[in-house]
C-alpha cells in the first residue's frame, strides 16, 4: 500500500505518483484507488473490469454514476469507492442585499462574487472570501486545464 504513512504525501504530487506507478506496469499493486478526475489519463493502464465481473454484480451499481465515474472509452476501469456531494453555501443576506439569486453555474458564481465583493469593498468590508473550495491555486489551474482539454 502506498500512502502518506510510507511515502512523501502531497496533493500536488498525487497525479504524478499514481501516473508513475501505472506507467511502470508493476504488478506490485492489486488495486489502485484514483480520483476519477484523472480517468482519461489512467484508463490505458487499467484492466477492463467487465471481463472479470458478472453483469449481475455490475448492475448493482447506479449505472449513471458508474458510467460517469468508472467507464472511459467503452471500458469499465473503476468502481466508485465513494461518491461525494458538492454543496455551495450561499450568504443569503448578501445575495438579498444586492438583489442576486443563488448562482447555478460557475460563471454566475464568479460574476455574482465579483459584484458583491466590489460593492462590499466600497463599504470597507474587505474580510470576505468569495469562494473557497479548499482548492489550492495549482489544483485549480490543473482542473481548468483538464476542463479546457475536454472541451476541445
Amino acid at each position: 500500500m502506498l500512502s502518506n504513512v510510507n511515502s512523501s504525501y502531497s496533493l500536488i504530487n498525487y497525479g504524478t505518483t499514481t501516473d508513475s506507478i501505472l506507467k511502470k506496469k508493476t504488478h506490485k499493486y492489486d488495486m489502485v484507488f484514483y480520483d476519477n478526475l484523472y480517468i482519461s489519463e489512467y484508463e490505458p493502464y487499467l484492466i477492463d473490469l467487465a471481463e472479470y465481473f458478472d453483469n449481475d454484480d455490475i448492475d448493482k451499481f447506479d449505472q449513471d454514476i458508474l458510467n460517469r465515474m468508472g467507464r472511459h472509452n467503452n471500458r469499465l476501469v473503476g468502481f466508485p469507492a465513494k461518491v461525494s456531494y458538492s454543496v455551495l453555501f450561499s450568504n443569503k443576506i448578501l445575495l438579498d442585499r444586492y438583489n442576486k439569486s443563488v448562482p447555478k453555474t460557475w460563471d454566475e458564481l464568479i460574476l455574482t462574487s465579483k459584484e458583491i465583493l466590489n460593492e462590499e469593498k466600497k463599504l470597507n468590508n474587505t474580510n470576505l472570501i468569495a469562494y473557497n473550495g479548499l482548492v489550492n491555486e495549482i489544483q485549480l489551474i490543473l482542473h481548468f486545464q483538464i476542463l479546457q482539454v475536454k472541451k476541445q
Side-chain angles (χ1 to χ4, degrees):
M1 179 172 176
L2 180 66
S3 72
N4 61 335
V5 175
N6 62 5
S7 70
S8 61
Y9 176 74
S10 167
L11 289 175
I12 296 168
N13 293 328
Y14 165 82
T16 305
T17 302
T18 306
D19 193 52
S20 174
I21 289 169
L22 292 172
K23 283 183 178 176
K24 287 180 184 175
K25 296 183 181 181
T26 178
H27 295 283
K28 185 175 181 179
Y29 302 99
D30 295 317
M31 186 180 299
V32 177
F33 285 85
Y34 62 91
D35 185 330
N36 69 309
L37 177 67
Y38 302 103
I39 195 169
S40 61
E41 287 93 37
Y42 298 162
E43 179 264 329
Y45 305 105
L46 302 171
I47 63 171
D48 187 350
L49 296 170
E51 296 176 15
Y52 296 90
F53 287 86
D54 293 331
N55 284 336
D56 290 341
D57 293 324
I58 295 171
D59 290 342
K60 291 177 184 175
F61 287 87
D62 181 302
Q63 294 304 298
D64 183 49
I65 292 172
L66 193 60
N67 288 335
R68 286 187 290 129
M69 296 179 69
R71 293 189 196 277
H72 190 72
N73 288 333
N74 295 318
R75 297 177 64 234
L76 178 61
V77 295
F79 289 112
K82 75 173 191 168
V83 178
S84 298
Y85 293 92
S86 298
V87 177
L88 175 65
F89 292 96
S90 300
N91 186 324
K92 189 77 171 128
I93 295 168
L94 288 175
L95 289 172
D96 289 345
R97 181 181 298 160
Y98 295 102
N99 198 26
K100 299 290 181 185
S101 58
V102 175
K104 295 188 178 15
T105 67
W106 284 109
D107 289 340
E108 287 177 11
L109 175 67
I110 292 166
L111 182 64
T112 301
S113 299
K114 283 181 180 179
E115 289 178 19
I116 290 175
L117 284 175
N118 287 335
E119 292 302 314
E120 286 294 305
K121 282 180 186 175
K122 292 176 186 175
L123 300 173
N124 218 16
N125 183 3
T126 59
N127 198 21
L128 287 179
I129 298 172
Y131 174 76
N132 180 357
L134 299 177
V135 177
N136 66 39
E137 187 177 345
I138 293 172
Q139 288 174 307
L140 194 57
I141 291 168
L142 289 174
H143 178 70
F144 283 114
Q145 286 175 343
I146 289 168
L147 289 177
Q148 287 172 349
V149 169
K150 287 184 179 180
K151 284 182 182 177
Q152 296 171 0

